[in-house]
Amino acid sequence: MKRILFYILITYPICMATAQFEPNYDETKVPKFEASDLLTTFDGKKVNDTSGWENTRRPELYHFFEEQVYGKVPGKLDSLSFEVVEGSTEALGGKAIRKQIEVDMFKNGKSLSFHILLYLPNNGKASPIFLGYNFYGNHTITDDSNVIISNAWAMDNEDFGISDNTLTKASRGVRTHRWAIEKIIDGGFGLATIYYGEVDPDKNDFSDGLHRLFYEEGQTNPKADEWGSIAAWAFGMSRALDYLETDSDVDAHRVISFGHSRLGKAALWAGASDQRFAAVISNNSGCGGAALSKRKFGETVGRINARFPHWFSDTFTAYNDNEEALAIDQHGLLAQIAPRPLYVASAEDDQWADPRGEYLSAHYVTPVYQLYGKKGLARTKMPQTGSPVHHTVAYHIRTGKHDVTEYDWEQYISWAKKFVAKEE
Ligand code: GCU
């Protein structure tokens, strides 16, 4: 008896503590909250037109996310250079041009390089482009044996044959299913991708990657309101865009910032912080991406900061289990993309990313697009699974898990043809 009592006394508090920390997947337990009005400034002034949006509200939203969520970039590079290190006009059986570009970034006597893998339709035109990071190296997205294998740090992955944090040819082509290259090319688009680990290795260590270039003498970590990894990845996308602007085979006014999951968060922040991106696609970006934080559904601010302390600025930890204190939720991030085309996509089995929170967030930006006479997602009710809604703001939810599928790409391509590509 005594032993049972002892057991209960010991385990009860542990069970209670874990129960409290279980993610919520129950819609009835979502706290009541009102999503702040996008067309009213923090000090209560109504925004009625595009100039009020562009000169007042959008900048204040940008500064909020810069200071409270992703962190400030501490300055500019001293210089930047590009070199096409490999190329072919006979890629993908002759239908594509392939280029591999080394981008070198210089600051404070230090440097960092990353590589863009670029496929373009072999049609003699300047093509619109999807630009997005990959998780395990450029060589994983295609079976094309000419793709250079990165020597940057990589996360070990037994299934992909990656050990000792080193990429080898064992992982060539392991992620082809996530990149519908043929469909992209056949649709008249190019694809540019970068291994995100070359810009900032995805670990809680600020001694490597992009951050270190910006340190003052003796500094080892970004300051509390300075950038985490997501902002560094976003910065890298802008530097890739700097290159794309120099490439006459690319229509640099039509570069779409694309990303999945943590890289979808980065794609959104890149689109918000750099107005040169023509459009943004968020694929299953979830918490700290498209999803509303105040719903506390699936992944929460506290959880993401605990598990990935290097992704956001330290200031974001003030909202751990305190989401209600956010002056604006993630719809304030999506709104910064306006009036440019924006696509938010979810997956049914990806409840961790809160599909409903991703949809609502995209729905709330509608009034901002209306200022420009553009169509958003007027209905509060989510579209059915497999029934995409394609306006300037677009959304779909598909069956299946957290991933990028052929179906997702089919949607992105047909939507981008209508809303991003140049009409013939
Ligand atoms: C984790 C993390 C998510 C992130 C995802 C990913 O699940 O909690 O926030 O989006 O990894 O990047 O795959």
Side-chain angles (χ1 to χ4, degrees), residues 135 260-263 265 284-285 287 299 304 307-308 311 352 402:
F135 282 78
H260 168 63
S261 205
R262 68 197 69 183
L263 300 176
K265 307 181 211 292
N284 308 177
S285 65
C287 180
E299 187 170 32
I304 206 167
R307 190 155 155 227
F308 304 102
W311 281 4
W352 181 241
H402 186 70

